[in-house]
Amino acid sequence: APRHRIGFLLKISDDPELQREYKEYHKNVWPEMHAALNRQGWHNYSLFLKKDGTLFGVFESDRTLDECIKGMEAEPINATWQAAMQKFFPAVDKLRPDETIVQLEEVMHLA
């Protein structure tokens, strides 16, 4: 299947110290987490952060976002990563951070 780009939003804390720590984690994503993401269809993946805690993510995949998230649920390292990320995310009904993703509609793509 052809690759397409998937854009989404997440929300972390607006606390500058927590944001600094979150960025440190993401400067050095664990090699086993990176490998798991690739196995599950997350390619050319970037995250962008606004000061209010809004995160914009974009990646390329030959799968849907739901398939990519479900694939990660089968990866043992994901539970460990999600637990480490939990403190950065406002409590949302006891959901894992990856369960709070809101997919965006692509309205333009200039190649």
Side-chain angles (χ1 to χ4, degrees):
R3 274 200 188 171
H4 54 277
R5 295 174 326 151
I6 296 171
F8 63 88
L9 294 177
L10 278 169
K11 182 85 168 163
I12 64 168
S13 170
D14 60 2
D15 177 272
E17 184 54 32
L18 281 174
Q19 288 186 5
R20 186 198 62 71
E21 190 178 345
Y22 182 86
K23 289 187 275 189
E24 283 302 311
Y25 265 102
H26 287 81
K27 282 181 189 167
N28 300 292
V29 173
W30 305 335
E32 57 269 36
M33 185 63 176
H34 188 181
L37 286 162
N38 276 285
R39 275 194 300 277
Q40 299 304 330
W42 302 68
H43 304 285
N44 204 19
Y45 182 14
S46 295
L47 285 172
F48 300 85
L49 177 62
K50 222 176 127 180
K51 287 195 186 325
D52 72 353
T54 301
L55 281 168
F56 167 68
V58 63
F59 67 100
E60 296 175 347
S61 189
D62 56 2
R63 305 175 194 178
T64 67
L65 177 60
D66 286 343
E67 289 168 339
C68 291
I69 292 171
K70 288 217 181 336
M72 286 306 293
E73 288 174 1
E75 296 279 353
I77 191 62
N78 189 53
T80 307
W81 180 267
Q82 295 299 323
M85 294 300 104
Q86 194 74 51
K87 71 177 180 180
F88 303 112
F89 289 80
V92 183
D93 300 326
K94 304 286 186 240
L95 295 175
R96 291 189 322 262
D98 64 347
E99 293 175 308
T100 66
I101 287 174
V102 176
Q103 187 167 2
L104 301 174
E105 176 187 2
E106 183 175 77
V107 294
M108 186 190 78
H109 175 206
L110 298 176

mmCIF file of all heavy atoms in Angstrom, residues 6-40:
data_model
loop_
_atom_site.group_PDB
_atom_site.id
_atom_site.type_symbol
_atom_site.label_atom_id
_atom_site.label_comp_id
_atom_site.label_asym_id
_atom_site.label_seq_id
_atom_site.Cartn_x
_atom_site.Cartn_y
_atom_site.Cartn_z
ATOM 1 N N ILE A 6 0.150 11.159 8.130
ATOM 2 C CA ILE A 6 -0.865 11.213 9.174
ATOM 3 C C ILE A 6 -0.477 12.330 10.132
ATOM 4 O O ILE A 6 0.652 12.352 10.639
ATOM 5 C CB ILE A 6 -0.956 9.867 9.913
ATOM 6 C CG1 ILE A 6 -1.433 8.769 8.954
ATOM 7 C CG2 ILE A 6 -1.882 9.978 11.130
ATOM 8 C CD1 ILE A 6 -1.361 7.365 9.515
ATOM 9 N N GLY A 7 -1.390 13.256 10.365
ATOM 10 C CA GLY A 7 -1.170 14.348 11.304
ATOM 11 C C GLY A 7 -2.103 14.201 12.486
ATOM 12 O O GLY A 7 -3.242 13.770 12.328
ATOM 13 N N PHE A 8 -1.612 14.576 13.667
ATOM 14 C CA PHE A 8 -2.445 14.445 14.859
ATOM 15 C C PHE A 8 -2.035 15.460 15.917
ATOM 16 O O PHE A 8 -0.962 16.049 15.850
ATOM 17 C CB PHE A 8 -2.361 13.019 15.431
ATOM 18 C CG PHE A 8 -0.997 12.615 15.903
ATOM 19 C CD1 PHE A 8 -0.583 12.890 17.211
ATOM 20 C CD2 PHE A 8 -0.116 11.956 15.065
ATOM 21 C CE1 PHE A 8 0.674 12.518 17.648
ATOM 22 C CE2 PHE A 8 1.149 11.581 15.501
ATOM 23 C CZ PHE A 8 1.549 11.863 16.795
ATOM 24 N N LEU A 9 -2.933 15.646 16.889
ATOM 25 C CA LEU A 9 -2.681 16.507 18.043
ATOM 26 C C LEU A 9 -2.695 15.685 19.322
ATOM 27 O O LEU A 9 -3.429 14.704 19.439
ATOM 28 C CB LEU A 9 -3.762 17.591 18.165
ATOM 29 C CG LEU A 9 -3.837 18.635 17.067
ATOM 30 C CD1 LEU A 9 -5.008 19.572 17.325
ATOM 31 C CD2 LEU A 9 -2.530 19.416 16.967
ATOM 32 N N LEU A 10 -1.873 16.127 20.266
ATOM 33 C CA LEU A 10 -1.842 15.620 21.637
ATOM 34 C C LEU A 10 -1.662 16.831 22.533
ATOM 35 O O LEU A 10 -1.273 17.899 22.058
ATOM 36 C CB LEU A 10 -0.631 14.713 21.857
ATOM 37 C CG LEU A 10 -0.681 13.266 21.424
ATOM 38 C CD1 LEU A 10 0.717 12.659 21.503
ATOM 39 C CD2 LEU A 10 -1.631 12.486 22.304
ATOM 40 N N LYS A 11 -1.867 16.664 23.827
ATOM 41 C CA LYS A 11 -1.709 17.785 24.751
ATOM 42 C C LYS A 11 -0.914 17.311 25.961
ATOM 43 O O LYS A 11 -1.310 16.356 26.630
ATOM 44 C CB LYS A 11 -3.100 18.275 25.178
ATOM 45 C CG LYS A 11 -3.078 19.461 26.089
ATOM 46 C CD LYS A 11 -2.996 20.751 25.312
ATOM 47 C CE LYS A 11 -3.273 21.886 26.283
ATOM 48 N NZ LYS A 11 -2.897 23.158 25.866
ATOM 49 N N ILE A 12 0.223 17.985 26.203
ATOM 50 C CA ILE A 12 0.986 17.715 27.417
ATOM 51 C C ILE A 12 0.836 18.906 28.351
ATOM 52 O O ILE A 12 0.196 19.905 28.025
ATOM 53 C CB ILE A 12 2.477 17.406 27.131
ATOM 54 C CG1 ILE A 12 3.201 18.606 26.522
ATOM 55 C CG2 ILE A 12 2.618 16.165 26.280
ATOM 56 C CD1 ILE A 12 4.716 18.453 26.488
ATOM 57 N N SER A 13 1.465 18.808 29.499
ATOM 58 C CA SER A 13 1.426 19.882 30.489
ATOM 59 C C SER A 13 2.008 21.170 29.914
ATOM 60 O O SER A 13 2.902 21.138 29.071
ATOM 61 C CB SER A 13 2.242 19.462 31.711
ATOM 62 O OG SER A 13 2.421 20.558 32.584
ATOM 63 N N ASP A 14 1.511 22.302 30.408
ATOM 64 C CA ASP A 14 2.097 23.585 29.999
ATOM 65 C C ASP A 14 3.213 24.013 30.950
ATOM 66 O O ASP A 14 3.780 25.087 30.811
ATOM 67 C CB ASP A 14 1.023 24.669 29.878
ATOM 68 C CG ASP A 14 0.289 24.930 31.189
ATOM 69 O OD1 ASP A 14 0.633 24.305 32.220
ATOM 70 O OD2 ASP A 14 -0.639 25.751 31.187
ATOM 71 N N ASP A 15 3.561 23.150 31.908
ATOM 72 C CA ASP A 15 4.636 23.450 32.855
ATOM 73 C C ASP A 15 5.991 23.396 32.123
ATOM 74 O O ASP A 15 6.338 22.359 31.554
ATOM 75 C CB ASP A 15 4.614 22.424 33.987
ATOM 76 C CG ASP A 15 5.744 22.646 34.971
ATOM 77 O OD1 ASP A 15 6.845 22.098 34.746
ATOM 78 O OD2 ASP A 15 5.541 23.372 35.959
ATOM 79 N N PRO A 16 6.751 24.503 32.122
ATOM 80 C CA PRO A 16 8.007 24.541 31.358
ATOM 81 C C PRO A 16 9.018 23.474 31.776
ATOM 82 O O PRO A 16 9.736 22.943 30.933
ATOM 83 C CB PRO A 16 8.555 25.949 31.627
ATOM 84 C CG PRO A 16 7.371 26.752 32.040
ATOM 85 C CD PRO A 16 6.443 25.801 32.737
ATOM 86 N N GLU A 17 9.067 23.153 33.060
ATOM 87 C CA GLU A 17 10.021 22.126 33.507
ATOM 88 C C GLU A 17 9.629 20.747 32.987
ATOM 89 O O GLU A 17 10.476 19.970 32.539
ATOM 90 C CB GLU A 17 10.125 22.135 35.032
ATOM 91 C CG GLU A 17 11.162 21.180 35.600
ATOM 92 C CD GLU A 17 12.570 21.363 35.023
ATOM 93 O OE1 GLU A 17 12.963 22.500 34.676
ATOM 94 O OE2 GLU A 17 13.298 20.356 34.910
ATOM 95 N N LEU A 18 8.343 20.427 33.048
ATOM 96 C CA LEU A 18 7.887 19.147 32.500
ATOM 97 C C LEU A 18 8.105 19.100 30.987
ATOM 98 O O LEU A 18 8.493 18.070 30.444
ATOM 99 C CB LEU A 18 6.412 18.911 32.835
ATOM 100 C CG LEU A 18 6.110 18.428 34.248
ATOM 101 C CD1 LEU A 18 4.605 18.379 34.488
ATOM 102 C CD2 LEU A 18 6.735 17.062 34.515
ATOM 103 N N GLN A 19 7.869 20.222 30.320
ATOM 104 C CA GLN A 19 8.101 20.256 28.874
ATOM 105 C C GLN A 19 9.581 20.033 28.553
ATOM 106 O O GLN A 19 9.915 19.325 27.600
ATOM 107 C CB GLN A 19 7.612 21.573 28.275
ATOM 108 C CG GLN A 19 6.109 21.674 28.237
ATOM 109 C CD GLN A 19 5.621 22.911 27.508
ATOM 110 O OE1 GLN A 19 6.401 23.671 26.933
ATOM 111 N NE2 GLN A 19 4.318 23.113 27.527
ATOM 112 N N ARG A 20 10.459 20.628 29.365
ATOM 113 C CA ARG A 20 11.898 20.434 29.141
ATOM 114 C C ARG A 20 12.252 18.952 29.260
ATOM 115 O O ARG A 20 12.978 18.400 28.433
ATOM 116 C CB ARG A 20 12.701 21.251 30.163
ATOM 117 C CG ARG A 20 14.203 21.217 29.908
ATOM 118 C CD ARG A 20 15.013 21.635 31.133
ATOM 119 N NE ARG A 20 14.797 20.745 32.272
ATOM 120 C CZ ARG A 20 15.250 19.479 32.361
ATOM 121 N NH1 ARG A 20 15.944 18.946 31.374
ATOM 122 N NH2 ARG A 20 15.010 18.762 33.433
ATOM 123 N N GLU A 21 11.715 18.295 30.284
ATOM 124 C CA GLU A 21 11.989 16.871 30.484
ATOM 125 C C GLU A 21 11.400 16.022 29.348
ATOM 126 O O GLU A 21 12.032 15.078 28.865
ATOM 127 C CB GLU A 21 11.425 16.426 31.841
ATOM 128 C CG GLU A 21 11.874 15.044 32.245
ATOM 129 C CD GLU A 21 11.347 14.615 33.610
ATOM 130 O OE1 GLU A 21 10.867 15.478 34.389
ATOM 131 O OE2 GLU A 21 11.406 13.405 33.886
ATOM 132 N N TYR A 22 10.200 16.379 28.906
ATOM 133 C CA TYR A 22 9.562 15.676 27.788
ATOM 134 C C TYR A 22 10.442 15.769 26.539
ATOM 135 O O TYR A 22 10.662 14.774 25.836
ATOM 136 C CB TYR A 22 8.179 16.292 27.528
ATOM 137 C CG TYR A 22 7.404 15.627 26.422
ATOM 138 C CD1 TYR A 22 6.619 14.498 26.674
ATOM 139 C CD2 TYR A 22 7.447 16.114 25.127
ATOM 140 C CE1 TYR A 22 5.899 13.883 25.663
ATOM 141 C CE2 TYR A 22 6.726 15.500 24.104
ATOM 142 C CZ TYR A 22 5.959 14.390 24.385
ATOM 143 O OH TYR A 22 5.261 13.783 23.377
ATOM 144 N N LYS A 23 10.963 16.964 26.276
ATOM 145 C CA LYS A 23 11.830 17.153 25.103
ATOM 146 C C LYS A 23 13.118 16.340 25.239
ATOM 147 O O LYS A 23 13.596 15.786 24.243
ATOM 148 C CB LYS A 23 12.140 18.634 24.898
ATOM 149 C CG LYS A 23 10.911 19.413 24.412
ATOM 150 C CD LYS A 23 11.242 20.844 24.040
ATOM 151 C CE LYS A 23 11.233 21.756 25.220
ATOM 152 N NZ LYS A 23 11.333 23.184 24.859
ATOM 153 N N GLU A 24 13.656 16.231 26.446
ATOM 154 C CA GLU A 24 14.862 15.417 26.651
ATOM 155 C C GLU A 24 14.593 13.951 26.303
ATOM 156 O O GLU A 24 15.414 13.312 25.647
ATOM 157 C CB GLU A 24 15.368 15.535 28.092
ATOM 158 C CG GLU A 24 16.106 16.821 28.367
ATOM 159 C CD GLU A 24 17.316 17.026 27.463
ATOM 160 O OE1 GLU A 24 18.150 16.091 27.329
ATOM 161 O OE2 GLU A 24 17.428 18.116 26.871
ATOM 162 N N TYR A 25 13.455 13.409 26.766
ATOM 163 C CA TYR A 25 13.094 12.034 26.406
ATOM 164 C C TYR A 25 13.083 11.862 24.892
ATOM 165 O O TYR A 25 13.539 10.855 24.365
ATOM 166 C CB TYR A 25 11.697 11.674 26.936
ATOM 167 C CG TYR A 25 11.666 10.966 28.258
ATOM 168 C CD1 TYR A 25 11.351 11.663 29.426
ATOM 169 C CD2 TYR A 25 11.911 9.603 28.353
ATOM 170 C CE1 TYR A 25 11.294 11.020 30.652
ATOM 171 C CE2 TYR A 25 11.855 8.952 29.581
ATOM 172 C CZ TYR A 25 11.545 9.660 30.716
ATOM 173 O OH TYR A 25 11.490 9.011 31.931
ATOM 174 N N HIS A 26 12.539 12.851 24.208
ATOM 175 C CA HIS A 26 12.349 12.705 22.761
ATOM 176 C C HIS A 26 13.594 13.025 21.949
ATOM 177 O O HIS A 26 13.648 12.709 20.762
ATOM 178 C CB HIS A 26 11.121 13.515 22.326
ATOM 179 C CG HIS A 26 9.858 12.856 22.764
ATOM 180 N ND1 HIS A 26 9.377 12.980 24.050
ATOM 181 C CD2 HIS A 26 9.020 12.023 22.111
ATOM 182 C CE1 HIS A 26 8.276 12.247 24.159
ATOM 183 N NE2 HIS A 26 8.036 11.662 23.007
ATOM 184 N N LYS A 27 14.599 13.619 22.572
ATOM 185 C CA LYS A 27 15.897 13.769 21.891
ATOM 186 C C LYS A 27 16.609 12.433 21.812
ATOM 187 O O LYS A 27 17.473 12.235 20.965
ATOM 188 C CB LYS A 27 16.791 14.757 22.648
ATOM 189 C CG LYS A 27 16.448 16.199 22.414
ATOM 190 C CD LYS A 27 17.407 17.088 23.189
ATOM 191 C CE LYS A 27 16.945 18.530 23.130
ATOM 192 N NZ LYS A 27 17.654 19.371 24.102
ATOM 193 N N ASN A 28 16.267 11.533 22.732
ATOM 194 C CA ASN A 28 16.925 10.228 22.821
ATOM 195 C C ASN A 28 15.879 9.126 22.969
ATOM 196 O O ASN A 28 15.867 8.423 23.985
ATOM 197 C CB ASN A 28 17.891 10.204 24.011
ATOM 198 C CG ASN A 28 18.965 11.268 23.896
ATOM 199 O OD1 ASN A 28 19.829 11.189 23.036
ATOM 200 N ND2 ASN A 28 18.886 12.281 24.750
ATOM 201 N N VAL A 29 15.028 8.988 21.965
ATOM 202 C CA VAL A 29 14.014 7.924 22.018
ATOM 203 C C VAL A 29 14.748 6.587 22.152
ATOM 204 O O VAL A 29 15.740 6.338 21.455
ATOM 205 C CB VAL A 29 13.127 7.941 20.751
ATOM 206 C CG1 VAL A 29 12.197 6.737 20.712
ATOM 207 C CG2 VAL A 29 12.315 9.232 20.701
ATOM 208 N N TRP A 30 14.272 5.744 23.063
ATOM 209 C CA TRP A 30 14.917 4.456 23.298
ATOM 210 C C TRP A 30 15.005 3.681 21.987
ATOM 211 O O TRP A 30 14.017 3.611 21.233
ATOM 212 C CB TRP A 30 14.121 3.633 24.301
ATOM 213 C CG TRP A 30 13.847 4.307 25.613
ATOM 214 C CD1 TRP A 30 14.582 5.316 26.197
ATOM 215 C CD2 TRP A 30 12.764 4.047 26.499
ATOM 216 N NE1 TRP A 30 14.022 5.676 27.389
ATOM 217 C CE2 TRP A 30 12.907 4.915 27.611
ATOM 218 C CE3 TRP A 30 11.692 3.153 26.472
ATOM 219 C CZ2 TRP A 30 12.022 4.916 28.671
ATOM 220 C CZ3 TRP A 30 10.803 3.158 27.532
ATOM 221 C CH2 TRP A 30 10.970 4.015 28.618
ATOM 222 N N PRO A 31 16.155 3.074 21.683
ATOM 223 C CA PRO A 31 16.302 2.327 20.424
ATOM 224 C C PRO A 31 15.220 1.264 20.228
ATOM 225 O O PRO A 31 14.717 1.083 19.118
ATOM 226 C CB PRO A 31 17.694 1.688 20.545
ATOM 227 C CG PRO A 31 18.432 2.578 21.491
ATOM 228 C CD PRO A 31 17.399 3.107 22.457
ATOM 229 N N GLU A 32 14.832 0.583 21.319
ATOM 230 C CA GLU A 32 13.807 -0.456 21.164
ATOM 231 C C GLU A 32 12.424 0.147 20.877
ATOM 232 O O GLU A 32 11.587 -0.476 20.218
ATOM 233 C CB GLU A 32 13.774 -1.403 22.368
ATOM 234 C CG GLU A 32 13.548 -0.731 23.709
ATOM 235 C CD GLU A 32 14.815 -0.304 24.449
ATOM 236 O OE1 GLU A 32 15.798 0.133 23.810
ATOM 237 O OE2 GLU A 32 14.814 -0.385 25.688
ATOM 238 N N MET A 33 12.176 1.375 21.363
ATOM 239 C CA MET A 33 10.919 2.062 21.045
ATOM 240 C C MET A 33 10.933 2.511 19.588
ATOM 241 O O MET A 33 9.930 2.359 18.885
ATOM 242 C CB MET A 33 10.723 3.258 21.994
ATOM 243 C CG MET A 33 9.399 3.961 21.825
ATOM 244 S SD MET A 33 7.995 2.882 22.217
ATOM 245 C CE MET A 33 6.644 4.048 22.037
ATOM 246 N N HIS A 34 12.065 3.039 19.142
ATOM 247 C CA HIS A 34 12.202 3.461 17.742
ATOM 248 C C HIS A 34 11.973 2.264 16.810
ATOM 249 O O HIS A 34 11.232 2.371 15.829
ATOM 250 C CB HIS A 34 13.589 4.066 17.537
ATOM 251 C CG HIS A 34 13.776 4.710 16.205
ATOM 252 N ND1 HIS A 34 14.950 5.292 15.840
ATOM 253 C CD2 HIS A 34 12.950 4.855 15.149
ATOM 254 C CE1 HIS A 34 14.845 5.772 14.612
ATOM 255 N NE2 HIS A 34 13.630 5.524 14.179
ATOM 256 N N ALA A 35 12.574 1.134 17.138
ATOM 257 C CA ALA A 35 12.413 -0.075 16.315
ATOM 258 C C ALA A 35 10.955 -0.526 16.295
ATOM 259 O O ALA A 35 10.417 -0.907 15.240
ATOM 260 C CB ALA A 35 13.318 -1.185 16.836
ATOM 261 N N ALA A 36 10.293 -0.473 17.448
ATOM 262 C CA ALA A 36 8.883 -0.877 17.529
ATOM 263 C C ALA A 36 8.014 0.041 16.674
ATOM 264 O O ALA A 36 7.133 -0.416 15.936
ATOM 265 C CB ALA A 36 8.411 -0.866 18.982
ATOM 266 N N LEU A 37 8.246 1.349 16.764
ATOM 267 C CA LEU A 37 7.478 2.299 15.944
ATOM 268 C C LEU A 37 7.642 1.974 14.465
ATOM 269 O O LEU A 37 6.658 1.928 13.716
ATOM 270 C CB LEU A 37 7.920 3.737 16.238
ATOM 271 C CG LEU A 37 7.438 4.309 17.568
ATOM 272 C CD1 LEU A 37 8.257 5.522 17.961
ATOM 273 C CD2 LEU A 37 5.952 4.653 17.516
ATOM 274 N N ASN A 38 8.867 1.725 14.049
ATOM 275 C CA ASN A 38 9.102 1.385 12.644
ATOM 276 C C ASN A 38 8.402 0.093 12.248
ATOM 277 O O ASN A 38 7.791 0.032 11.177
ATOM 278 C CB ASN A 38 10.606 1.307 12.353
ATOM 279 C CG ASN A 38 11.173 2.676 12.068
ATOM 280 O OD1 ASN A 38 10.969 3.218 10.998
ATOM 281 N ND2 ASN A 38 11.861 3.247 13.039
ATOM 282 N N ARG A 39 8.474 -0.917 13.103
ATOM 283 C CA ARG A 39 7.799 -2.189 12.801
ATOM 284 C C ARG A 39 6.298 -1.993 12.629
ATOM 285 O O ARG A 39 5.659 -2.696 11.849
ATOM 286 C CB ARG A 39 8.020 -3.210 13.932
ATOM 287 C CG ARG A 39 9.292 -3.987 13.840
ATOM 288 C CD ARG A 39 9.299 -5.188 14.776
ATOM 289 N NE ARG A 39 9.141 -4.849 16.184
ATOM 290 C CZ ARG A 39 10.138 -4.459 16.981
ATOM 291 N NH1 ARG A 39 11.368 -4.335 16.511
ATOM 292 N NH2 ARG A 39 9.906 -4.188 18.259
ATOM 293 N N GLN A 40 5.737 -1.042 13.382
ATOM 294 C CA GLN A 40 4.286 -0.846 13.383
ATOM 295 C C GLN A 40 3.821 0.267 12.438
ATOM 296 O O GLN A 40 2.678 0.718 12.521
ATOM 297 C CB GLN A 40 3.795 -0.609 14.808
ATOM 298 C CG GLN A 40 4.084 -1.780 15.734
ATOM 299 C CD GLN A 40 3.519 -3.099 15.231
ATOM 300 O OE1 GLN A 40 2.497 -3.146 14.541
ATOM 301 N NE2 GLN A 40 4.175 -4.191 15.566
#
